[in-house]
């Protein structure tokens, strides 16, 4: 029997619905009025939207009433930015879809331009615009430059959950316009995850524009949480297997291309990569940091993530205003110590001391034994059984498999190999959909393709595949599925799935 509906809920729903309709009506009316006034067009439509001022005003009105802030970007590597030229309750955006005030793409004469590049930490989740790292650093540099005529500008190019590839692509493809004098990029462990696209009304999607053939097979920690209904501590940043190592290689290539583009500018702008990877710092150092010049890296010591006095809430480790101010102070000291801007800066005892002591402490943490981190994984599993996957086991699923074992066109997970294991065993069932008849699923273990599974609707399957000799000494093996077709599931028909996996095991 259904619960009786609370009259207050009904009234609230009516009010919210009315507000939404009113917002849409207002925007359409505004579009029509502005169009008529500016261009003589009596009706709204494509002609009116050609007026840039009209378009921006309509977007501003619509986005102000929208719960979600994102807009899609035509560059698949970038995937999404923020809705441009919008004013929300908690932040404003500029013409290129970044948080912050408008700015001229062409650097003005006499301005020292710094670009802050990153994800939610640079964006400044739940802190005021003037409290963010970019603004605090600009103020400190301006106040302490020995030349009183020096003007500093810190542009903030950051979107929540961007990864290293997206960040580097967004800056590199406009670097000749921006002409920075210094780029500071902050990286976090989720920078190996896929970047989601955008659904209607600015919400994050469940697919990655960079990988359209993957459907909803994201390699993405929050994706695994939502699909499995489990909290996960993804193993991806540890790079124990092929998936992690491949992601690190892609990130390194993106960083090197960006640095090459910066080096080709007349300014030959330096690039400082600030590594905020906490317990994962040894893996970052082993797989990426050792490939970059030490003078271009700054490892934050672990207290920048563990000190709750720097958190925005007791459960959210994003930096609060005090955290942003502390990072800005450290960056001031590092910029001064390493001569990254070519301008004279006054001594600042706290910043200068932090540049020496905290930099050394961060590097020491990054140079710690990476194998110790790998050995710290609790209860590593040689087998995943669906739907019995539990809280502590979901960490080995990178994405593309839901709690019931439904597999997306791309799926990836990690299996631990015991010394005696010599076989990969897979059991499952093809879905009953006749549209999948003859579809093929390539089965990869690490860098090797072991088999091709042909989908036969409604039939069970079991594969027993011997481990190649090249894999028999590795402790962690990456299992991946890549299919050439799929069908839909879910109440909205937006889940893309191929088959049901019941068990994957190294035996």
């Amino acid at each position: 029997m259904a619960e009786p509906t609370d009259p207050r809920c009904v009234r609230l729903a009516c009010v919210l619905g009315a507000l939404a309709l009113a917002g849409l009506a207002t925007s359409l009316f505004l579009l029509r009025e502005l169009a008529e006034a500016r261009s003589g067009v009596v009706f709204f439509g494509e002609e009116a939207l050609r007026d840039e001022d009209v378009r921006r005003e309509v977007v501003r009105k619509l986005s102000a009433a929208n719960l979600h802030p994102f807009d899609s970007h035509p560059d698949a590597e970038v995937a999404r930015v923020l809705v441009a030229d919008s004013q929300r309750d908690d932040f404003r955006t500029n013409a290129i879809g970044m948080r912050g005030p408008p700015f001229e793409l062409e650097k003005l004469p006499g301005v020292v331009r710094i670009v802050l590049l990153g994800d939610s930490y640079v964006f400044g989740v739940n802190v005021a615009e003037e409290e963010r790292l970019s603004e605090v650093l600009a103020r400190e540099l301006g106040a302490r430059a020995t030349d009183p005529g020096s003007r500093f500008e810190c542009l903030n190019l950051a979107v929540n959950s961007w990864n290293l590839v997206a960040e580097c692509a967004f800056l590199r493809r406009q670097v000749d316009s921006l002409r920075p004098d210094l780029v500071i990029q902050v990286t976090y462990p989720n920078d190996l995850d896929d970047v989601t696209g955008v659904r209607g009304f600015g919400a994050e999607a469940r697919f990655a524009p960079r990988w359209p053939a993957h459907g909803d097979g994201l390699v993405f920690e929050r994706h695994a949480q939502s699909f499995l209904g489990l909290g996960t501590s993804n193993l991806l940043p540890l790079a124990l297997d092929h998936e992690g190592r491949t992601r690190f290689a892609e990130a390194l290539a993106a960083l090197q291309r960006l640095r090459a583009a910066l080096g080709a500018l007349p300014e030959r702008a330096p690039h400082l990569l600030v590594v905020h990877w906490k317990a994962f710092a040894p893996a970052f150092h082993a797989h990426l940091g050792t490939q970059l010049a030490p003078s271009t890296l700054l490892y934050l010591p672990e207290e920048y993530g563990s000190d709750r006095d720097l958190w925005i809430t007791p459960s959210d480790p994003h930096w609060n205003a005090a955290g942003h101010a502390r990072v800005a102070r450290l960056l001031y000291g590092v910029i001064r110590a390493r001569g990254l801007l070519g301008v004279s800066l006054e001594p600042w005892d706290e910043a200068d001391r932090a540049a020496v002591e905290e930099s050394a402490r961060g590097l020491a943490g990054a140079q710690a034994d990476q194998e110790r981190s790998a050995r710290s994984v609790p209860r590593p599993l040689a087998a995943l059984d669906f739907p019995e996957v539990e809280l502590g086991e979901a960490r080995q699923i990178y994405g593309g498999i839901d709690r019931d074992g439904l597999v997306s066109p791309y799926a990836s997970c990690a299996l631990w190999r015991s010394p005696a294991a010599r076989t990969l065993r897979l059991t499952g069932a093809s879905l009953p959909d006749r549209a999948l008849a003859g579809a093929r699923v390539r089965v990869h273990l690490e860098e090797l393709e072991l088999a091709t599974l042909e989908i036969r609707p409604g039939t069970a399957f079991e594969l027993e595949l011997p481990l190649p000799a090249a894999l028999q000494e590795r402790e962690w093996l990456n299992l991946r599925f890549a299919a050439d077709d799929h069908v839909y599931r879910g109440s909205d028909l937006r889940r893309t799935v191929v088959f049901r996996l019941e068990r994957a095991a190294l035996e």
Side-chain angles (χ1 to χ4, degrees):
M1 182 175 179
E3 293 286 341
T5 303
D6 190 332
R8 292 173 298 178
C9 294
V10 175
R11 288 197 297 272
L12 178 60
C14 292
V15 169
L16 291 175
L19 287 173
L21 290 174
L24 179 59
T26 300
S27 298
L28 294 177
F29 174 76
L30 175 66
L31 177 57
R32 178 173 180 170
E33 291 298 307
L34 289 175
E36 290 179 357
R38 293 177 180 274
S39 62
V41 179
V42 182
F43 55 88
F44 64 87
E46 181 181 352
E47 198 67 34
L49 289 176
R50 290 175 182 169
D51 188 313
E52 188 68 16
D53 291 340
V54 173
R55 187 192 66 79
R56 288 185 177 182
E57 183 65 13
V58 171
V59 169
R60 187 186 69 80
K61 285 288 187 181
L62 288 173
S63 61
N66 193 5
L67 293 176
H68 306 289
F70 299 112
D71 190 8
S72 60
H73 195 279
D75 187 338
E77 289 187 326
V78 171
R80 58 185 163 84
V81 291
L82 303 168
V83 175
D85 293 318
S86 68
Q87 178 66 59
R88 303 175 63 84
D89 290 340
D90 47 350
F91 62 85
R92 61 174 170 167
T93 64
N94 52 39
I96 65 170
M98 296 291 113
R99 182 185 179 187
F103 64 89
E104 296 293 332
L105 287 179
E106 184 176 344
K107 183 172 58 178
L108 297 176
V111 169
V112 178
R113 173 172 280 182
I114 302 170
V115 168
L116 269 292
L117 188 61
D119 58 8
S120 53
Y121 278 84
V122 175
F123 171 89
V125 173
N126 288 348
V127 297
E129 184 178 296
E130 66 275 7
E131 296 173 336
R132 294 187 304 164
L133 172 59
S134 48
E135 279 71 18
V136 177
L137 181 60
R139 288 198 298 271
E140 295 292 359
L141 290 169
R144 299 173 188 275
T146 57
D147 179 359
S150 297
R151 291 186 295 160
F152 295 89
E153 177 183 55
C154 286
L155 306 184
N156 191 296
L157 305 185
V159 173
N160 295 359
S161 297
W162 259 0
N163 63 18
L164 279 166
V165 171
E167 294 159 12
C168 291
F170 188 74
L171 177 56
R172 181 174 61 82
R173 291 178 174 132
Q174 58 178 317
V175 72
D176 285 276
S177 299
L178 291 178
R179 300 280 294 274
D181 297 285
L182 170 64
V183 174
I184 300 173
Q185 185 171 7
V186 179
T187 178
Y188 192 73
N190 66 359
D191 277 350
L192 301 182
D193 295 344
D194 290 330
V195 179
T196 54
V198 180
R199 286 193 64 180
F201 301 101
E204 278 189 75
R206 220 162 49 194
F207 59 84
R210 189 179 176 207
W211 310 114
H214 289 185
D216 57 11
L218 285 165
V219 176
F220 190 61
E221 185 171 347
R222 283 189 295 159
H223 170 82
Q225 290 176 342
S226 63
F227 270 15
L228 291 165
L230 302 170
T232 67
S233 54
N234 206 325
L235 299 185
L236 191 64
L238 285 176
L240 301 175
D241 60 5
H242 176 81
E243 187 79 62
R245 291 190 296 271
T246 298
R247 299 285 168 139
F248 268 118
E250 291 173 346
L252 176 61
L255 287 166
Q256 290 173 330
R257 291 188 74 187
L258 173 60
R259 289 185 170 187
L262 292 170
L265 295 174
E267 296 83 358
R268 297 185 62 82
H271 177 271
L272 178 66
L273 188 61
V274 180
V275 184
H276 182 43
W277 277 50
K278 302 180 286 189
F280 293 108
F284 181 96
H285 183 70
H287 293 278
L288 202 157
T290 54
Q291 307 300 310
L292 301 172
S295 62
T296 66
L297 294 167
L298 171 63
Y299 291 97
L300 297 184
E302 197 164 340
E303 66 261 25
Y304 276 81
S306 61
D307 185 351
R308 293 176 181 267
D309 288 340
L310 305 181
W311 292 16
I312 55 174
T313 71
S315 60
D316 190 335
H318 283 94
W319 296 319
N320 58 19
H324 282 262
R326 180 168 172 175
V327 178
R329 183 185 67 190
L330 172 59
L331 286 176
Y332 180 96
V334 170
I335 289 170
R336 184 171 178 273
R338 301 186 189 181
L340 296 179
L341 276 178
V343 297
S344 180
L345 299 171
E346 294 178 352
W348 180 5
D349 289 345
E350 288 180 303
D352 296 339
R353 195 160 48 245
V356 175
E357 297 174 0
E358 294 185 1
S359 296
R361 197 159 63 251
L363 178 59
Q367 291 174 332
D369 180 15
Q370 187 203 355
E371 294 300 319
R372 184 178 63 184
S373 300
R375 291 192 298 269
S376 69
V377 177
R379 293 183 59 214
L381 293 179
L384 294 170
D385 293 285
F386 297 90
E388 287 79 21
V389 176
E390 297 178 355
L391 178 66
E393 302 168 354
R395 68 171 61 85
Q396 292 185 206
I397 302 169
Y398 297 136
I401 311 175
D402 74 6
R403 187 169 192 149
D404 295 322
L406 283 175
V407 179
S408 298
Y410 181 84
S412 180
C413 61
L415 293 174
W416 175 76
R417 187 193 64 81
S418 70
R422 292 294 182 268
T423 301
L424 170 66
R425 188 182 301 275
L426 303 172
T427 58
S430 298
L431 298 178
D433 305 61
R434 288 184 289 270
L436 282 173
R440 294 181 177 273
V441 182
R442 300 191 310 278
V443 180
H444 294 84
L445 201 60
E446 288 290 279
E447 67 275 11
L448 303 177
E449 183 174 334
L450 296 192
T452 298
L453 171 66
E454 183 176 341
I455 300 297
R456 297 175 181 175
T459 63
F461 65 82
E462 181 171 359
L463 296 180
E464 186 174 327
L465 306 171
L467 293 186
L471 305 183
Q472 291 182 11
E473 301 302 319
R474 302 186 193 180
E475 187 176 12
W476 288 91
L477 300 180
N478 176 224
L479 172 63
R480 300 185 308 287
F481 303 102
D484 61 10
D485 202 358
H486 55 266
V487 292
Y488 304 144
R489 289 292 187 271
S491 58
D492 60 357
L493 295 182
R494 290 178 183 265
R495 285 292 323 280
T496 56
V497 295
V498 186
F499 66 95
R500 188 182 302 278
L501 182 66
E502 296 171 359
R503 179 177 172 83
L506 294 174
E507 299 174 341

